[in-house]
Amino acid sequence: MKHLVLFLSFSVLLLACSFGQSEGEITSKKVFGGYTFSQGDKTLTINQLLSTMKENPEAYDLMKSAKSTTDAANVLGVIGGFMIGWPLGSAIGGGEPNWALAGIGAGVLAVGIPVSISANRKLLNAVDRYNQGLENTSMNYSPKLNLTFGNGFGLALNF
C-alpha cells in the first residue's frame, strides 16, 4: 500500500510538471537566403506565423511589419532578377543585350538585399517575443499537490 501511494503521488507530480512544457514554441533554422520556422513537427509559412501570433499583440505587430518588409524584399528581388535575366537571356540567345537594363536590375537587387536582411531580423524578433510570451504564461502556472483528510485519505492537485 505504501508503494502504491508513493507511485501515485510521484505520477501525479510528473504529470503536473509536464503541463509546464510548452509545445507551442516556434523554432527557427538558418537556411540559404533566410530562415525556416517550425512549431513542433510542422513547418510554418509567414501567413501561418502571423495567424499563430494573434494571441500575443506585441509579437503580432512585429510579425505584420516583418511580413510587409518580406513582401517588399520579394518584389524587389523579382524585379531585379527579371531586369538582369532579360539581357542575359538575349546574350545567350544571340540577340543584342541591353546591359543598362542589367545594371539597373543589379541596383534594384542591391537595394533588395538590405531590405531582406531587415525582414529576417524582424521575423526573428517577432518569434522571440512570441516565445517569451509563452514562457511567461507557463511560469505563472504553479500546480499544488496536497494531502487531504476528509472522508478518507487522498491527494488533491490544485491548478
Side-chain angles (χ1 to χ4, degrees):
M1 181 68 176
K2 186 186 226 184
H3 295 290
L4 179 64
V5 170
L6 253 134
F7 175 74
L8 287 175
S9 60
F10 184 68
S11 298
V12 169
L13 187 61
L14 283 177
L15 180 66
C17 291
S18 70
F19 281 114
Q21 303 293 324
S22 174
E23 292 207 352
E25 184 173 313
I26 298 172
T27 58
S28 62
K29 181 180 177 187
K30 178 89 168 125
V31 295
F32 181 74
Y35 292 88
T36 59
F37 298 95
S38 59
Q39 190 174 30
D41 294 337
K42 184 180 176 188
T43 301
L44 301 174
T45 64
I46 290 180
N47 289 330
Q48 291 170 331
L49 280 170
L50 191 62
S51 64
T52 301
M53 292 185 185
K54 280 187 180 179
E55 62 194 41
N56 185 334
E58 188 177 355
Y60 183 71
D61 290 340
L62 276 170
M63 191 63 207
K64 283 195 309 188
S65 174
K67 184 179 179 332
S68 64
T69 307
T70 300
D71 291 344
N74 288 340
V75 167
L76 289 172
V78 167
I79 290 171
F82 176 78
M83 293 174 82
I84 292 171
W86 188 270
L88 286 176
S90 295
I92 292 171
E96 184 64 33
N98 184 356
W99 294 115
L101 184 64
I104 294 170
V108 171
L109 274 181
V111 169
I113 290 171
V115 174
S116 178
I117 291 170
S118 171
N120 286 334
R121 191 175 312 122
K122 287 179 182 181
L123 283 169
L124 289 174
N125 286 339
V127 168
D128 285 343
R129 294 280 169 89
Y130 177 78
N131 288 339
Q132 286 172 358
L134 289 177
E135 290 171 9
N136 290 339
T137 57
S138 67
M139 290 186 77
N140 293 336
Y141 175 77
S142 57
K144 294 180 180 149
L145 182 64
N146 299 316
L147 287 171
T148 59
F149 299 101
N151 293 335
F153 173 75
L155 295 171
L157 182 62
N158 296 325
F159 297 95

